DNA sequence: TCTGGGGTCCTAGGACCC
DNA sequence: TCTGGGGTCCTAGGACCC
């Protein structure tokens, strides 16, 4: 067996952080999401296993969650608390002598080489629990795809291994959306092509996939289904590509003065975030979601990279003016596309783009 | 299931140029 | 003039993930 990878995935991370600071919630159905008010628009970010038993999980609208589990405790999202907890977790993981890739608040990969993977996984679980009070599941794989899927099988608080030896028996009969990178839409498109299992996808005709999914995604899907993934575990933090904020309104907006005010406010927030991180925008994109949930975007190129509030507001208003304003608006967003750092000039950003793993970061 | 917010990357079509 | 074949850039939208 070659070198192995661990995928460390915290169990019900957001809910676990809330329970950790409010121990009286332990064992109760808790749903965290939005403003924490289940009469308002929003969805559940994470629910405890006790709430999941009632059909309340990630993505469940808050109103639906309340209907399914009226006695659930609803809490608002507290991003700073999760960022803080995540930093604690990652600093513990960084103590191990392995390459660490942070893949999100509650997820990380460790390239452990050829040490005993079960022992490594147990060591990670024990140390994380002891030092942070949080439990995690650990997947072991020959690549990141396998480790990630194995971590799902390991939940909660377990250890699971998926490698080339047991890939076929474990995955062949699973639906394609069991794979990391195939969601509802791609699964439906595959079903239309008569592909309903992982093994069928692995054995499918590549040209068919290319014409259905495009020149990069088609071949990539086929390789996924075979359990192949050559992306590396990388400790390098990647430079951000964009920074944005968006807001769904409890009541749809109808007045253009209101739209203007909100877009200006959002643009200010984005500008402040850019300044705080010494980043500059090269393009500002405004997003509008209309009442029947159709979404449009319009972008404006800046004459020169900037993070000045007035410039971003002006560009955002120019973009806003390019929408047909004929329907009620339920969401507004402003996003800055980040200009390349001139201090990195000489490195050709375009040539560094990877096409071997669409939809995933390296 | 009346459907958040923060991101990343890919795709396709049109503009433009040689 | 009724009309090719690239290549690249830009834009809007789509899909996915946590």
């Amino acid at each position: 067996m070659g070198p192995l990878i661990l995928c460390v995935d915290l169990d019900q991370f957001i809910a676990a952080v809330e329970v950790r600071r409010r121990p009286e919630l332990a064992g109760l159905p808790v749903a965290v999401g939005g403003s924490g008010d289940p009469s308002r628009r929003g969805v559940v970010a994470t629910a405890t296993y006790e709430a999941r038993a009632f059909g309340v999980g990630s993505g469940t609208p808050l109103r639906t969650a309340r209907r399914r589990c009226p006695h659930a405790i609803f809490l608002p999202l507290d991003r700073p608390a999760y960022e803080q907890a995540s930093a604690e977790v990652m600093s513990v993981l960084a103590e191990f002598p392995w390459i660490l890739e942070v893949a999100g608040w509650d997820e990380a990969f460790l390239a452990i080489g050829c040490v005993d993977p079960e022992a490594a996984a147990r060591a990670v679980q024990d140390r994380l629990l002891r030092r942070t009070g949080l439990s995690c599941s650990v997947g072991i794989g020959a690549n990141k795809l396998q480790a990630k899927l194995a971590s799902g099988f390991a939940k909660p608080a377990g250890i699971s291994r998926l490698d080339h030896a047991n890939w076929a028996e474990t995955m062949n009969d699973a639906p394609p959306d069991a794979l990391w990178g195939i969601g509802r839409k791609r699964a439906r498109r595959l079903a239309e092509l008569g592909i309903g299992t992982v093994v069928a996808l692995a054995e499918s005709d590549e040209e068919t996939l290319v014409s259905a999914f495009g020149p990069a995604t088609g071949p990539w899907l086929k390789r996924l289904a075979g359990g192949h993934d050559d992306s590396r575990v990388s400790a390098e933090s990647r430079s951000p590509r964009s920074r944005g904020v968006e807001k769904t309104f409890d009541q749809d907006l109808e007045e253009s003065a209101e739209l203007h005010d909100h877009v200006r406010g959002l643009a200010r927030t984005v500008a402040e975030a850019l300044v705080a991180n010494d980043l500059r925008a090269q393009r500002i994109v405004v997003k509008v979601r209309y009442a029947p949930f159709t979404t449009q975007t319009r972008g404006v190129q800046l004459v020169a990279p900037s993070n000045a509030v007035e410039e971003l507001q002006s560009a955002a208003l120019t973009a806003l003016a390019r929408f047909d304003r004929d329907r009620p608006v339920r969401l507004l967003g402003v996003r800055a596309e980040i200009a390349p750092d001139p201090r990195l000039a000489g490195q050709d950003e375009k040539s560094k783009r990877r096409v071997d793993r669409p939809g995933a970061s390296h």
Side-chain angles (χ1 to χ4, degrees), chain A residues 182-309:
Chain A
I182 300 182
R184 263 218 324 284
K185 297 296 181 68
R186 285 176 182 159
R188 199 193 332 152
R189 186 80 185 90
L190 286 168
E192 289 166 7
L193 298 171
I195 297 168
T197 61
V198 168
V199 67
L201 178 57
E203 293 170 355
S204 62
D205 174 53
E206 187 160 312
E207 285 313 304
T208 305
L209 296 178
V210 167
S211 60
F213 298 101
T217 304
W220 174 65
L221 295 178
K222 186 174 162 79
R223 293 191 307 120
L224 275 186
H228 305 294
D229 170 15
D230 53 17
S231 65
R232 300 271 72 103
V233 175
S234 169
E236 289 173 38
S237 60
R238 291 158 42 80
S239 51
R241 299 290 196 271
S242 69
R243 182 77 187 229
V245 287
E246 54 188 59
K247 168 90 184 128
T248 293
F249 304 102
D250 279 313
Q251 261 88 44
D252 299 335
L253 299 185
E254 312 252 12
E255 303 299 324
S256 67
E258 282 183 307
L259 297 176
H260 273 241
D261 288 348
H262 282 289
V263 162
R264 291 174 62 86
L266 293 167
R268 170 178 292 278
T269 304
V270 171
E272 288 167 353
L274 294 183
V275 169
N277 293 280
D278 193 26
L279 298 169
R280 279 156 193 78
Q282 59 182 354
R283 188 178 145 77
I284 299 298
V285 179
V286 171
K287 172 160 136 183
V288 173
R289 178 124 73 207
Y290 296 102
F293 218 72
T294 54
T295 305
Q296 292 185 341
T297 60
R298 294 289 181 271
V300 168
Q301 198 77 25
L302 300 184
V303 287
S306 171
N307 53 22
V309 173

Side-chain angles (χ1 to χ4, degrees), chain A residues 21-233:
Chain A
R21 64 178 168 182
R22 297 167 68 173
E24 68 274 17
L25 297 178
L28 299 178
V30 176
V32 187
S35 62
D37 178 348
S39 68
R40 296 177 60 185
R41 283 175 171 168
V43 300
V44 175
T46 305
T48 58
Y49 292 107
E50 291 80 6
R52 293 181 198 194
F54 290 84
V56 172
S58 300
T60 306
L62 292 180
R63 295 182 224 249
T64 305
R66 182 176 57 174
R67 200 165 61 240
R68 290 183 183 167
C69 190
H71 60 293
I73 293 148
F74 290 91
L75 298 175
L77 273 178
D78 179 358
R79 289 175 180 281
Y82 316 136
E83 282 163 9
Q84 159 68 30
S86 179
E88 286 174 48
V89 167
M90 298 306 164
S91 75
V92 170
L93 293 181
E95 295 170 0
F96 290 94
W98 304 312
I99 296 173
L100 167 68
E101 176 175 327
V102 178
W105 277 349
D106 64 343
E107 194 173 310
F109 293 96
L110 288 165
I112 59 170
C114 295
V115 305
D116 174 359
E118 270 82 14
R122 275 194 303 275
V124 166
Q125 287 180 322
D126 291 349
R127 196 182 295 188
L128 266 187
L129 186 61
R130 181 160 42 83
R131 299 270 294 281
T132 71
L134 299 171
S135 95
C136 68
S137 302
V138 180
I140 300 163
N143 56 44
K144 285 162 68 177
L145 167 68
Q146 292 173 345
K148 168 67 184 172
L149 295 180
S151 75
F153 298 137
K155 286 194 168 296
I159 296 170
S160 178
R161 177 165 176 167
L162 182 57
D163 55 29
H164 295 296
N166 65 349
W167 177 267
E169 65 180 85
T170 309
M171 298 302 298
N172 271 2
D173 298 331
D177 57 1
L179 296 169
W180 192 34
I182 300 182
R184 263 218 324 284
K185 297 296 181 68
R186 285 176 182 159
R188 199 193 332 152
R189 186 80 185 90
L190 286 168
E192 289 166 7
L193 298 171
I195 297 168
T197 61
V198 168
V199 67
L201 178 57
E203 293 170 355
S204 62
D205 174 53
E206 187 160 312
E207 285 313 304
T208 305
L209 296 178
V210 167
S211 60
F213 298 101
T217 304
W220 174 65
L221 295 178
K222 186 174 162 79
R223 293 191 307 120
L224 275 186
H228 305 294
D229 170 15
D230 53 17
S231 65
R232 300 271 72 103
V233 175

